[in-house]
Amino acid sequence: MREETTKGVSPQQAFQLYGKLGEATAVRFEAGGYWPAVPHSRADDYWLSVSCRRRIHSDWLFLEMTPKVEFPRQDDYEAVPSVTVMVSGLFGEWQD
C-alpha cells in the first residue's frame, strides 16, 4: 500500500448521512475527499457514494451494494464510476 512507504500525513474527510428504509434495509450517503499533504497535493481524489445494506437472512446475513463515483486529479477530475457488492455475516452470540 502506498501509505506504508510514504512519509508524512494523508488527510481525508468524509461526510456521511445514514437512514433506515424499513426493518431490513439501511442506506448511507457519503461525500469525501483525500489529499496527500507530503510533499505536496498532486494525487487528490474526491468521491460520492450511496450504499444500500439489506438483511437477507435472519439477523446475521447481509447484502450491501455501493455505487460510487470518484473524481481523481490524475484523470483531470473526470468521473470514474464503480460498483461494490459485498455479502457479510455476523457470527457469535448477539446481545441487545
Coordinates of all heavy atoms in Angstrom, one line a residue:
M1 N 0.8 -1.2 0.0 CA 0.0 0.0 0.0 C 0.9 1.2 0.0 O 1.9 1.3 0.7 CB -0.9 0.0 1.2 CG -1.9 1.1 1.3 SD -3.0 0.9 2.7 CE -4.3 1.9 2.2
R2 N 0.5 2.2 -0.7 CA 1.2 3.5 -0.9 C 1.5 4.2 0.5 O 2.5 4.7 0.7 CB 0.5 4.4 -1.8 CG 1.1 5.7 -2.0 CD 0.4 6.5 -3.1 NE -0.9 6.9 -2.5 CZ -2.0 7.1 -3.3 NH1 -1.9 7.0 -4.6 NH2 -3.1 7.5 -2.8
E3 N 0.5 4.1 1.4 CA 0.6 4.8 2.7 C 1.8 4.3 3.5 O 2.4 5.0 4.3 CB -0.7 4.7 3.5 CG -1.9 5.2 2.7 CD -1.8 6.6 2.3 OE1 -1.3 7.4 3.0 OE2 -2.2 6.9 1.2
E4 N 2.1 3.0 3.4 CA 3.2 2.4 4.2 C 4.5 2.9 3.8 O 5.5 2.9 4.6 CB 3.1 0.9 4.2 CG 1.8 0.4 4.8 CD 1.6 -1.1 4.5 OE1 2.4 -1.7 3.8 OE2 0.6 -1.7 5.0
T5 N 4.7 3.3 2.6 CA 6.1 3.7 2.1 C 6.2 5.2 2.0 O 7.3 5.7 1.6 CB 6.4 3.1 0.8 OG1 5.4 3.5 -0.2 CG2 6.4 1.5 0.9
T6 N 5.2 6.0 2.4 CA 5.2 7.4 2.2 C 5.3 8.1 3.6 O 4.6 7.7 4.5 CB 3.9 7.9 1.5 OG1 3.8 7.3 0.3 CG2 4.0 9.4 1.3
K7 N 6.3 9.0 3.7 CA 6.4 9.8 5.0 C 5.4 10.9 5.0 O 5.0 11.4 3.9 CB 7.8 10.4 5.1 CG 8.9 9.3 5.2 CD 10.2 10.0 5.4 CE 11.3 8.9 5.5 NZ 12.6 9.5 5.6
G8 N 4.9 11.2 6.2 CA 4.0 12.4 6.3 C 2.6 12.0 6.6 O 2.3 10.9 7.0
V9 N 1.7 12.9 6.3 CA 0.3 12.7 6.6 C -0.6 12.8 5.4 O -0.3 13.5 4.4 CB -0.2 13.9 7.6 CG1 -1.6 13.8 7.9 CG2 0.7 13.9 8.8
S10 N -1.6 11.9 5.4 CA -2.6 11.9 4.2 C -4.0 12.2 4.8 O -4.7 11.3 5.1 CB -2.5 10.6 3.5 OG -1.3 10.3 2.9
P11 N -4.3 13.5 4.9 CA -5.7 13.8 5.4 C -6.8 13.3 4.5 O -6.6 13.2 3.3 CB -5.7 15.3 5.6 CG -4.4 15.8 5.0 CD -3.6 14.6 4.5
Q12 N -7.9 13.0 5.1 CA -9.1 12.5 4.4 C -10.3 13.1 5.2 O -10.3 13.1 6.5 CB -9.1 11.0 4.4 CG -10.4 10.5 3.8 CD -10.4 9.0 3.6 OE1 -9.4 8.4 3.2 NE2 -11.4 8.3 4.0
Q13 N -11.3 13.5 4.5 CA -12.5 14.0 5.2 C -13.7 13.4 4.5 O -13.7 13.4 3.2 CB -12.6 15.5 5.2 CG -13.7 16.0 6.0 CD -13.6 17.5 6.3 OE1 -12.8 18.2 5.7 NE2 -14.4 18.0 7.2
A14 N -14.7 12.9 5.2 CA -15.9 12.4 4.6 C -17.1 12.8 5.4 O -17.0 12.9 6.7 CB -15.8 10.9 4.5
F15 N -18.2 13.1 4.8 CA -19.5 13.4 5.4 C -20.4 12.2 5.1 O -20.5 11.9 3.9 CB -20.0 14.7 4.9 CG -19.1 15.9 5.2 CD1 -18.2 16.3 4.2 CD2 -19.2 16.5 6.4 CE1 -17.4 17.4 4.5 CE2 -18.3 17.6 6.7 CZ -17.4 18.0 5.7
Q16 N -21.0 11.7 6.1 CA -21.9 10.6 5.9 C -23.3 10.9 6.5 O -23.4 11.5 7.6 CB -21.4 9.3 6.5 CG -20.1 8.9 5.9 CD -19.4 7.7 6.6 OE1 -19.8 7.3 7.7 NE2 -18.5 7.0 6.0
L17 N -24.3 10.4 5.8 CA -25.7 10.5 6.3 C -26.3 9.1 6.2 O -26.3 8.5 5.2 CB -26.5 11.5 5.5 CG -27.9 11.7 5.8 CD1 -28.1 12.3 7.2 CD2 -28.6 12.6 4.8
Y18 N -26.9 8.7 7.4 CA -27.4 7.3 7.4 C -29.0 7.4 7.6 O -29.5 8.4 8.2 CB -26.9 6.6 8.7 CG -25.5 6.3 8.6 CD1 -24.5 7.2 9.1 CD2 -25.0 5.0 8.2 CE1 -23.2 6.9 9.0 CE2 -23.7 4.7 8.2 CZ -22.7 5.7 8.6 OH -21.4 5.4 8.6
G19 N -29.6 6.4 7.0 CA -31.1 6.4 7.1 C -31.6 5.0 7.1 O -30.9 4.1 6.7
K20 N -32.8 4.8 7.5 CA -33.4 3.4 7.6 C -34.6 3.4 6.6 O -35.4 4.3 6.5 CB -33.9 3.2 9.0 CG -34.1 1.7 9.3 CD -34.4 1.6 10.8 CE -34.6 0.2 11.1 NZ -35.0 0.0 12.5
L21 N -34.6 2.3 5.7 CA -35.7 2.2 4.8 C -36.5 0.9 5.1 O -36.4 -0.1 4.4 CB -35.1 2.1 3.3 CG -34.3 3.2 2.8 CD1 -33.7 2.9 1.5 CD2 -35.1 4.5 2.8
G22 N -37.1 0.9 6.2 CA -37.9 -0.3 6.6 C -37.1 -1.0 7.7 O -36.0 -0.6 8.1
E23 N -37.6 -2.2 8.0 CA -37.0 -3.1 9.1 C -35.7 -3.7 8.6 O -34.8 -4.0 9.4 CB -38.0 -4.1 9.6 CG -39.1 -3.5 10.5 CD -38.5 -3.0 11.7 OE1 -37.6 -3.6 12.4 OE2 -38.8 -1.8 12.1
A24 N -35.6 -4.0 7.3 CA -34.4 -4.8 6.9 C -33.4 -4.1 6.0 O -32.4 -4.7 5.6 CB -35.0 -6.1 6.1
T25 N -33.7 -2.8 5.8 CA -32.8 -2.1 4.8 C -32.3 -0.7 5.4 O -33.1 0.0 6.0 CB -33.6 -1.8 3.5 OG1 -34.1 -3.0 3.0 CG2 -32.7 -1.2 2.5
A26 N -31.1 -0.4 5.2 CA -30.5 0.9 5.6 C -29.7 1.5 4.4 O -29.3 0.7 3.5 CB -29.6 0.7 6.8
V27 N -29.6 2.8 4.4 CA -28.9 3.5 3.4 C -27.9 4.4 4.0 O -28.1 5.0 5.1 CB -29.9 4.2 2.4 CG1 -30.6 5.3 3.2 CG2 -29.2 4.7 1.2
R28 N -26.7 4.7 3.2 CA -25.7 5.6 3.7 C -25.3 6.4 2.5 O -25.0 5.9 1.4 CB -24.5 4.9 4.2 CG -23.4 5.8 4.6 CD -22.1 5.1 5.1 NE -21.5 4.5 3.9 CZ -21.0 3.3 3.9 NH1 -21.1 2.5 5.0 NH2 -20.4 2.8 2.8
F29 N -25.4 7.7 2.6 CA -24.9 8.7 1.6 C -23.5 9.2 2.1 O -23.4 9.5 3.2 CB -25.8 9.8 1.4 CG -27.2 9.4 1.0 CD1 -28.2 9.2 1.9 CD2 -27.5 9.2 -0.4 CE1 -29.5 8.8 1.6 CE2 -28.8 8.8 -0.7 CZ -29.8 8.6 0.2
E30 N -22.5 9.3 1.2 CA -21.2 9.7 1.6 C -20.6 10.6 0.5 O -20.7 10.4 -0.7 CB -20.3 8.5 1.8 CG -18.9 8.9 2.2 CD -18.1 7.7 2.5 OE1 -18.1 6.7 1.8 OE2 -17.3 7.7 3.5
A31 N -19.9 11.7 0.9 CA -19.2 12.6 0.1 C -17.8 12.8 0.8 O -17.8 13.0 2.0 CB -19.9 13.9 -0.1
G32 N -16.7 12.7 0.1 CA -15.5 12.8 0.8 C -14.3 13.3 -0.2 O -14.5 13.3 -1.4
G33 N -13.2 13.5 0.5 CA -12.0 13.9 -0.2 C -10.8 13.3 0.4 O -10.8 13.1 1.6
Y34 N -9.7 13.1 -0.4 CA -8.5 12.6 0.1 C -7.4 13.4 -0.6 O -7.4 13.6 -1.8 CB -8.4 11.1 -0.3 CG -7.0 10.5 -0.2 CD1 -6.4 10.1 1.0 CD2 -6.2 10.4 -1.4 CE1 -5.2 9.6 1.0 CE2 -4.9 9.9 -1.3 CZ -4.4 9.4 -0.1 OH -3.2 8.9 -0.1
W35 N -6.4 13.9 0.2 CA -5.4 14.7 -0.4 C -4.1 14.6 0.4 O -3.9 15.0 1.5 CB -5.8 16.2 -0.5 CG -6.2 16.8 0.8 CD1 -5.4 17.5 1.7 CD2 -7.5 16.7 1.4 NE1 -6.1 17.8 2.8 CE2 -7.4 17.4 2.7 CE3 -8.7 16.1 1.1 CZ2 -8.5 17.4 3.5 CZ3 -9.7 16.1 1.9 CH2 -9.7 16.8 3.1
P36 N -3.1 13.8 -0.2 CA -1.8 13.6 0.4 C -1.2 15.0 0.7 O -1.1 15.8 -0.2 CB -1.0 12.8 -0.5 CG -2.0 12.2 -1.5 CD -3.2 13.1 -1.5
A37 N -0.6 15.2 1.8 CA 0.0 16.5 2.1 C 1.5 16.6 2.0 O 2.1 17.6 2.1 CB -0.4 16.9 3.6
V38 N 2.1 15.4 1.8 CA 3.6 15.5 1.7 C 4.0 14.8 0.4 O 3.6 13.7 0.1 CB 4.2 14.7 2.9 CG1 5.7 14.6 2.8 CG2 3.9 15.4 4.2
P39 N 4.9 15.3 -0.4 CA 5.5 16.7 -0.3 C 4.5 17.7 -0.7 O 4.6 18.9 -0.3 CB 6.7 16.6 -1.2 CG 6.4 15.6 -2.2 CD 5.4 14.6 -1.5
H40 N 3.5 17.4 -1.6 CA 2.5 18.4 -2.0 C 1.3 17.6 -2.5 O 1.5 16.4 -2.8 CB 3.0 19.4 -3.0 CG 3.9 18.8 -4.0 ND1 3.4 18.0 -5.0 CD2 5.2 18.8 -4.2 CE1 4.3 17.6 -5.8 NE2 5.5 18.0 -5.3
S41 N 0.2 18.2 -2.6 CA -1.0 17.5 -3.0 C -1.1 17.4 -4.5 O -1.5 18.4 -5.2 CB -2.2 18.3 -2.4 OG -3.4 17.6 -2.8
R42 N -0.7 16.3 -5.1 CA -0.8 16.0 -6.5 C -1.7 14.8 -6.8 O -2.0 14.6 -8.0 CB 0.5 15.8 -7.1 CG 1.4 17.0 -7.1 CD 2.2 17.1 -8.4 NE 3.1 18.2 -8.4 CZ 2.8 19.4 -8.8 NH1 1.6 19.7 -9.2 NH2 3.7 20.4 -8.8
A43 N -2.1 14.0 -5.8 CA -2.9 12.8 -6.1 C -4.2 12.9 -5.4 O -4.7 11.9 -4.9 CB -2.1 11.6 -5.6
D44 N -4.8 14.1 -5.3 CA -6.0 14.2 -4.5 C -7.2 13.5 -5.3 O -7.1 13.3 -6.5 CB -6.4 15.7 -4.2 CG -6.3 16.6 -5.4 OD1 -5.6 16.3 -6.3 OD2 -7.0 17.6 -5.4
D45 N -8.2 13.2 -4.5 CA -9.3 12.3 -5.0 C -10.5 12.7 -4.3 O -10.5 12.9 -3.0 CB -8.9 10.9 -4.8 CG -9.9 9.9 -5.4 OD1 -10.7 10.3 -6.2 OD2 -9.8 8.7 -5.1
Y46 N -11.6 12.9 -4.9 CA -12.9 13.2 -4.3 C -13.9 12.1 -4.7 O -13.8 11.5 -5.8 CB -13.4 14.6 -4.8 CG -12.4 15.6 -4.4 CD1 -11.4 16.0 -5.3 CD2 -12.3 16.2 -3.1 CE1 -10.4 17.0 -5.0 CE2 -11.4 17.1 -2.8 CZ -10.4 17.5 -3.7 OH -9.5 18.4 -3.4
W47 N -14.9 11.9 -3.9 CA -15.9 10.8 -4.3 C -17.3 11.1 -3.7 O -17.4 11.8 -2.7 CB -15.4 9.5 -3.8 CG -15.4 9.3 -2.3 CD1 -16.4 8.9 -1.5 CD2 -14.3 9.6 -1.4 NE1 -16.0 8.9 -0.2 CE2 -14.7 9.3 -0.1 CE3 -13.0 10.0 -1.6 CZ2 -13.9 9.5 1.0 CZ3 -12.2 10.2 -0.5 CH2 -12.7 9.9 0.8
L48 N -18.2 10.5 -4.3 CA -19.6 10.4 -3.9 C -20.1 9.0 -4.0 O -19.8 8.3 -4.9 CB -20.5 11.3 -4.8 CG -20.2 12.8 -4.9 CD1 -21.0 13.4 -6.1 CD2 -20.6 13.4 -3.6
S49 N -20.8 8.5 -2.9 CA -21.3 7.2 -3.0 C -22.6 7.0 -2.2 O -22.9 7.9 -1.4 CB -20.3 6.2 -2.4 OG -20.1 6.4 -1.0
V50 N -23.4 6.0 -2.6 CA -24.6 5.6 -1.9 C -24.6 4.2 -1.6 O -24.4 3.4 -2.5 CB -25.9 6.0 -2.7 CG1 -27.1 5.5 -2.0 CG2 -25.9 7.4 -3.1
S51 N -24.7 3.8 -0.4 CA -24.7 2.3 0.0 C -26.0 1.9 0.5 O -26.7 2.6 1.2 CB -23.7 2.1 1.1 OG -22.4 2.4 0.7
C52 N -26.5 0.8 0.0 CA -27.7 0.2 0.5 C -27.4 -1.2 1.1 O -26.9 -2.0 0.4 CB -28.7 0.1 -0.7 SG -30.3 -0.5 -0.2
R53 N -27.7 -1.4 2.3 CA -27.4 -2.6 3.0 C -28.8 -3.3 3.4 O -29.6 -2.6 4.0 CB -26.6 -2.3 4.3 CG -26.2 -3.6 5.1 CD -25.4 -3.1 6.2 NE -25.1 -4.2 7.2 CZ -24.0 -4.9 7.3 NH1 -23.0 -4.6 6.6 NH2 -23.9 -5.8 8.2
R54 N -28.9 -4.5 3.1 CA -30.2 -5.2 3.3 C -29.9 -6.6 4.0 O -29.0 -7.3 3.6 CB -30.9 -5.5 2.0 CG -32.3 -6.2 2.2 CD -33.1 -6.0 1.0 NE -34.4 -6.7 1.1 CZ -35.5 -6.2 1.7 NH1 -35.4 -5.0 2.3 NH2 -36.6 -6.9 1.8
R55 N -30.7 -6.8 5.0 CA -30.7 -8.1 5.7 C -31.3 -9.1 4.8 O -32.5 -9.0 4.4 CB -31.4 -8.0 7.1 CG -31.3 -9.3 7.9 CD -31.9 -9.1 9.3 NE -33.4 -8.9 9.1 CZ -34.0 -7.9 9.7 NH1 -33.4 -7.1 10.5 NH2 -35.3 -7.7 9.5
I56 N -30.6 -10.2 4.5 CA -31.1 -11.2 3.5 C -31.5 -12.5 4.1 O -32.1 -13.3 3.5 CB -30.2 -11.4 2.3 CG1 -28.8 -11.8 2.7 CG2 -30.2 -10.1 1.4 CD1 -27.9 -12.1 1.5
H57 N -31.0 -12.7 5.4 CA -31.4 -14.0 6.1 C -31.3 -13.8 7.6 O -30.2 -13.4 8.1 CB -30.4 -15.1 5.7 CG -30.8 -16.4 6.4 ND1 -31.9 -17.1 6.1 CD2 -30.1 -17.1 7.3 CE1 -31.9 -18.2 6.8 NE2 -30.8 -18.2 7.6
S58 N -32.4 -14.1 8.2 CA -32.4 -14.0 9.7 C -31.9 -12.6 10.2 O -32.2 -11.6 9.5 CB -31.7 -15.1 10.3 OG -32.0 -15.2 11.7
D59 N -31.1 -12.6 11.2 CA -30.5 -11.4 11.7 C -29.0 -11.4 11.5 O -28.3 -10.6 12.2 CB -30.8 -11.1 13.2 CG -32.2 -10.6 13.4 OD1 -32.8 -10.1 12.4 OD2 -32.8 -10.8 14.5
W60 N -28.4 -12.2 10.7 CA -27.0 -12.3 10.6 C -26.4 -12.3 9.2 O -25.2 -12.1 9.1 CB -26.5 -13.6 11.3 CG -27.0 -14.9 10.6 CD1 -28.2 -15.5 10.8 CD2 -26.3 -15.6 9.6 NE1 -28.2 -16.6 10.0 CE2 -27.1 -16.7 9.2 CE3 -25.0 -15.4 9.0 CZ2 -26.7 -17.6 8.3 CZ3 -24.7 -16.4 8.0 CH2 -25.5 -17.4 7.7
L61 N -27.1 -12.3 8.1 CA -26.6 -12.3 6.8 C -27.1 -11.1 6.0 O -28.3 -10.8 6.0 CB -27.0 -13.6 6.0 CG -26.3 -13.8 4.7 CD1 -24.8 -13.9 4.9 CD2 -26.8 -15.0 4.0
F62 N -26.1 -10.3 5.5 CA -26.4 -9.0 4.8 C -25.8 -8.9 3.4 O -24.8 -9.5 3.2 CB -25.9 -7.9 5.7 CG -26.4 -7.8 7.1 CD1 -25.8 -8.5 8.1 CD2 -27.5 -7.1 7.4 CE1 -26.3 -8.5 9.4 CE2 -28.0 -7.0 8.6 CZ -27.4 -7.7 9.7
L63 N -26.5 -8.2 2.6 CA -26.0 -7.8 1.3 C -25.9 -6.3 1.2 O -26.9 -5.6 1.5 CB -27.0 -8.4 0.2 CG -26.7 -8.0 -1.3 CD1 -25.4 -8.7 -1.7 CD2 -27.8 -8.4 -2.2
E64 N -24.8 -5.8 0.7 CA -24.6 -4.4 0.6 C -24.1 -4.1 -0.9 O -23.2 -4.7 -1.4 CB -23.5 -3.9 1.6 CG -23.3 -2.4 1.5 CD -22.5 -1.9 2.7 OE1 -22.5 -2.6 3.8 OE2 -21.8 -0.9 2.5
M65 N -24.7 -3.1 -1.5 CA -24.4 -2.6 -2.8 C -24.0 -1.1 -2.7 O -24.7 -0.4 -2.1 CB -25.5 -2.8 -3.8 CG -25.1 -3.5 -5.0 SD -26.5 -4.0 -6.0 CE -26.6 -2.5 -7.0
T66 N -22.9 -0.8 -3.3 CA -22.4 0.6 -3.2 C -22.0 1.1 -4.6 O -20.8 0.9 -5.0 CB -21.2 0.8 -2.2 OG1 -21.6 0.2 -1.0 CG2 -20.8 2.2 -2.0
P67 N -22.8 1.9 -5.3 CA -22.4 2.6 -6.4 C -21.6 3.8 -6.0 O -21.9 4.5 -5.0 CB -23.6 3.0 -7.2 CG -24.8 2.6 -6.3 CD -24.3 2.0 -5.1
K68 N -20.5 4.1 -6.7 CA -19.6 5.2 -6.3 C -19.0 5.9 -7.5 O -18.8 5.3 -8.6 CB -18.4 4.6 -5.5 CG -17.4 5.6 -5.0 CD -16.3 4.8 -4.2 CE -15.3 5.7 -3.5 NZ -14.3 5.0 -2.8
V69 N -18.8 7.2 -7.4 CA -18.2 8.0 -8.5 C -17.0 8.7 -7.9 O -17.2 9.4 -6.9 CB -19.2 9.0 -9.1 CG1 -18.5 9.8 -10.2 CG2 -20.4 8.3 -9.7
E70 N -15.8 8.5 -8.4 CA -14.6 9.1 -7.9 C -14.2 10.2 -9.0 O -14.4 10.0 -10.2 CB -13.5 8.1 -7.7 CG -13.8 7.2 -6.6 CD -12.6 6.3 -6.3 OE1 -11.5 6.8 -5.8 OE2 -12.7 5.1 -6.7
F71 N -13.5 11.2 -8.5 CA -13.0 12.3 -9.3 C -11.5 12.5 -9.0 O -11.2 13.4 -8.3 CB -13.8 13.6 -9.1 CG -15.3 13.4 -9.3 CD1 -16.1 13.1 -8.3 CD2 -15.8 13.5 -10.6 CE1 -17.5 12.9 -8.5 CE2 -17.2 13.4 -10.8 CZ -18.0 13.1 -9.8
P72 N -10.6 11.6 -9.5 CA -9.2 11.7 -9.2 C -8.5 12.8 -10.0 O -8.8 13.0 -11.2 CB -8.7 10.4 -9.5 CG -9.6 9.8 -10.5 CD -10.9 10.4 -10.3
R73 N -7.6 13.5 -9.4 CA -6.8 14.5 -10.1 C -6.0 13.9 -11.3 O -5.9 14.5 -12.3 CB -5.9 15.2 -9.2 CG -5.0 16.2 -9.9 CD -4.0 16.9 -9.0 NE -4.5 18.1 -8.5 CZ -3.9 19.0 -7.8 NH1 -2.7 18.8 -7.4 NH2 -4.5 20.1 -7.4
Q74 N -5.5 12.7 -11.1 CA -4.7 12.1 -12.1 C -5.5 11.8 -13.4 O -4.9 11.7 -14.4 CB -4.1 10.8 -11.6 CG -5.1 9.7 -11.3 CD -4.5 8.5 -10.7 OE1 -3.4 8.6 -10.0 NE2 -5.1 7.4 -10.8
D75 N -6.8 11.8 -13.3 CA -7.6 11.7 -14.5 C -8.3 13.0 -14.9 O -9.4 13.1 -15.4 CB -8.7 10.6 -14.3 CG -8.1 9.2 -14.2 OD1 -7.0 9.0 -14.7 OD2 -8.8 8.4 -13.6
D76 N -7.7 14.2 -14.4 CA -8.2 15.5 -14.7 C -9.7 15.7 -14.1 O -10.5 16.3 -14.7 CB -8.2 15.9 -16.1 CG -6.8 16.0 -16.7 OD1 -5.9 16.5 -15.9 OD2 -6.5 15.6 -17.8
Y77 N -9.9 15.0 -13.0 CA -11.2 15.1 -12.3 C -12.4 14.5 -13.2 O -13.5 14.9 -12.9 CB -11.5 16.5 -11.8 CG -10.5 17.0 -10.8 CD1 -9.6 17.9 -11.2 CD2 -10.4 16.4 -9.6 CE1 -8.6 18.4 -10.3 CE2 -9.4 16.9 -8.7 CZ -8.5 17.8 -9.1 OH -7.6 18.3 -8.2
E78 N -12.1 13.7 -14.1 CA -13.1 13.0 -14.9 C -13.8 12.0 -14.0 O -13.1 11.3 -13.2 CB -12.5 12.3 -16.1 CG -12.1 13.3 -17.2 CD -13.2 14.0 -17.9 OE1 -14.3 13.4 -18.1 OE2 -13.0 15.2 -18.2
A79 N -15.1 11.8 -14.1 CA -15.8 10.8 -13.3 C -15.3 9.4 -13.6 O -15.2 9.0 -14.8 CB -17.3 10.9 -13.5
V80 N -15.1 8.6 -12.5 CA -14.7 7.2 -12.6 C -15.7 6.4 -11.8 O -15.6 6.4 -10.6 CB -13.3 6.9 -12.1 CG1 -12.9 5.5 -12.2 CG2 -12.2 7.8 -12.9
P81 N -16.7 5.8 -12.5 CA -17.7 5.1 -11.7 C -17.3 3.7 -11.3 O -16.5 3.1 -12.0 CB -18.9 5.0 -12.7 CG -18.2 5.1 -14.1 CD -17.0 5.9 -13.9
S82 N -17.9 3.2 -10.3 CA -17.6 1.8 -9.8 C -18.8 1.3 -9.0 O -19.6 2.1 -8.5 CB -16.3 1.7 -9.0 OG -16.4 2.4 -7.8
V83 N -18.9 0.0 -8.9 CA -20.0 -0.6 -8.0 C -19.3 -1.7 -7.2 O -18.6 -2.5 -7.7 CB -21.1 -1.2 -8.8 CG1 -22.1 -1.9 -7.9 CG2 -21.8 -0.1 -9.6
T84 N -19.6 -1.7 -5.9 CA -19.0 -2.7 -5.0 C -20.2 -3.5 -4.4 O -21.2 -2.9 -4.0 CB -18.3 -2.1 -3.8 OG1 -17.2 -1.3 -4.3 CG2 -17.7 -3.2 -2.9
V85 N -20.1 -4.8 -4.5 CA -21.2 -5.7 -3.9 C -20.5 -6.5 -2.8 O -19.4 -7.2 -3.1 CB -21.8 -6.6 -5.0 CG1 -22.8 -7.6 -4.4 CG2 -22.4 -5.8 -6.1
M86 N -21.1 -6.6 -1.6 CA -20.5 -7.3 -0.5 C -21.5 -8.1 0.2 O -22.7 -7.6 0.5 CB -19.8 -6.2 0.4 CG -19.2 -6.9 1.6 SD -18.3 -5.7 2.7 CE -19.5 -4.5 3.1
V87 N -21.2 -9.3 0.6 CA -22.0 -10.1 1.5 C -21.3 -10.2 2.8 O -20.1 -10.5 2.8 CB -22.2 -11.5 0.8 CG1 -23.0 -12.4 1.8 CG2 -23.0 -11.4 -0.5
S88 N -22.0 -10.0 3.9 CA -21.3 -10.0 5.2 C -22.2 -10.8 6.2 O -23.4 -10.8 6.0 CB -21.0 -8.6 5.7 OG -22.1 -7.9 5.8
G89 N -21.6 -11.3 7.2 CA -22.3 -12.1 8.2 C -21.8 -11.8 9.6 O -20.6 -11.5 9.8
L90 N -22.7 -11.9 10.6 CA -22.3 -11.7 12.0 C -22.4 -13.1 12.6 O -23.4 -13.8 12.6 CB -23.3 -10.8 12.7 CG -23.4 -9.4 12.1 CD1 -24.5 -8.6 12.8 CD2 -22.0 -8.7 12.3
F91 N -21.3 -13.5 13.3 CA -21.3 -14.8 13.9 C -21.0 -14.7 15.4 O -20.3 -13.8 15.8 CB -20.2 -15.7 13.3 CG -20.4 -16.0 11.8 CD1 -19.8 -15.2 10.9 CD2 -21.2 -17.0 11.4 CE1 -20.0 -15.4 9.5 CE2 -21.5 -17.2 10.1 CZ -20.8 -16.4 9.1
G92 N -21.5 -15.5 16.2 CA -21.4 -15.5 17.6 C -22.7 -15.1 18.3 O -23.7 -14.9 17.7
E93 N -22.6 -14.9 19.6 CA -23.8 -14.6 20.4 C -24.1 -13.1 20.2 O -23.2 -12.2 20.2 CB -23.6 -14.9 21.8 CG -23.7 -16.3 22.1 CD -23.8 -16.6 23.6 OE1 -24.5 -15.8 24.3 OE2 -23.2 -17.6 24.1
W94 N -25.3 -12.7 20.0 CA -25.8 -11.4 19.8 C -26.6 -11.0 21.1 O -27.5 -11.7 21.4 CB -26.6 -11.3 18.6 CG -27.1 -9.9 18.3 CD1 -28.3 -9.4 18.6 CD2 -26.4 -8.8 17.7 NE1 -28.4 -8.1 18.3 CE2 -27.2 -7.7 17.7 CE3 -25.1 -8.7 17.3 CZ2 -26.8 -6.5 17.2 CZ3 -24.7 -7.4 16.7 CH2 -25.6 -6.3 16.7
Q95 N -26.2 -9.9 21.7 CA -27.0 -9.4 22.8 C -27.5 -8.0 22.6 O -26.8 -7.1 22.1 CB -26.0 -9.4 24.1 CG -25.5 -10.7 24.4 CD -24.6 -10.6 25.7 OE1 -24.5 -9.6 26.2 NE2 -24.0 -11.7 26.0
D96 N -28.8 -7.8 22.9 CA -29.4 -6.5 22.7 C -29.2 -5.6 23.9 O -29.1 -6.0 25.0 CB -30.9 -6.6 22.4 CG -31.1 -7.1 21.0 OD1 -30.3 -6.7 20.1 OD2 -32.1 -7.8 20.8

